[in-house]
Amino acid sequence: MLNVGAYRRVLSLPDFAGFLWLSLLLRVPNVAAPTVLTLYTVTGAHGASFGAAGLVVALWTTGMAVGSPVQGWFIDRRGFRPVLVAATLVQAGFWGCVLVMPFPVFAATAFISGLFVVSGRTVTHLAISAIVPEDSSHTAFALNSMLTGVPLLVAPAVTVVVATQAGTSVAVLGVGAVFVLSCASLATRELPSVRRPAGGVSGGIRSVLSGKLAMTFTCVAAVGVMTTGSDVALLATLKSVDQTAWAGVVMAVCAASSMLGGFIYGSRERGWRPAPVVALVGLFMIPIGIWADWRWMIVAFVPAAMLVSSAFSATADAAARLAAPDMRATVMSVYGAFMTASGSLGPPLAGVVYDLGSHQISFLVIGTVGVLAGLLAWRPLSELTPRGSAENLLTTDPVGLPDAIEPNPGK
């Protein structure tokens, strides 16, 4: 039976709802920026090629990938507010001056802007670690996972409408204004101190390289590959039978299934271990390519799609639990970097496999990625006891590094 009260309890926690909605607002320009940068480069003042636009977007996203772990490390050392103040100033400077920049300066400063893009995902993960009780954290992570899809659905479409109807200059200034507003609003809030376990366990940079965290990052990377790779595999499969027009219907059902699955997962009394759920996503992904027909694919995608939000939630929860308190922002930033990087690997992997083989092989390969990642992480993460139970993790990592979890007295 669904426990809707679990979500009410989480949202009623002091300050958590504020951080959640502001981080959601922050994700809107993060998602919209590549689209508006592309449109402005091609149709705006520069009138450049799509290749040039791709270069600008690549520099911006590379800056994000480089800057995110550095920001996490700085947050762990100096606190949340200095990073947000710096991000507010840099984003105001970049987006406010884009319209008067020559192209070489525009491209170079896009990288600098990317360095100072604060991840809404990291903000939420830190808020969950600091505010939400441990027995409700899986619900908070599930809620965050479900809400993540909202900017992905809304931001690019709204950006295109604004750029085509009001002009790319208005779209540029609008994205910049939301960046500044969200960062400045978050900078005015004080994030409570992250909980520390009994005994004051802490860790240095080596704790980010622990065996269990490496397996957690492997799991989230596998889910990222499967989710983005399946989109390409779906489009290629339906194109091969001249049913491309139905791809949107299949994707809409997948999105709805993912949100429903995440809602059910968050309403449970306790979460799941990450390795089994990631392996299950891969296992359910493998047979999707058996039959190239949109009606079959709607049905076949549902089991895997219903577990995707749960997989992201379980891996995020595991990463937060395994992170030493003084390295939590760093760990969650690295977690986000793995998610982003793996998402960019899925489409080319599925596309190349399809070109060399068939749609059956394409789904087989991306599903196998999840199965192998889950099996590889099964034993190292087997001591991760789901939230809500009386058990906890062992403090001893397989490679001898401490984790930010109280010891299990029964072990």
Side-chain angles (χ1 to χ4, degrees), residues 184-201:
S185 298
L186 282 166
T188 63
R189 290 176 170 264
E190 189 68 41
L191 187 67
S193 300
V194 176
R195 292 186 305 267
R196 290 180 177 271
V201 178

Side-chain angles (χ1 to χ4, degrees), residues 9-20 123-137 140 189-195 328:
R9 285 195 299 272
V10 167
L11 289 173
S12 66
L13 292 170
D15 295 328
F16 179 69
F19 277 107
L20 183 64
V123 171
T124 310
H125 290 171
L126 290 176
I128 292 172
S129 298
I131 299 171
V132 180
E134 292 187 356
D135 60 356
S136 297
S137 63
R189 290 176 170 264
E190 189 68 41
L191 187 67
S193 300
V194 176
R195 292 186 305 267
R328 187 156 284 143

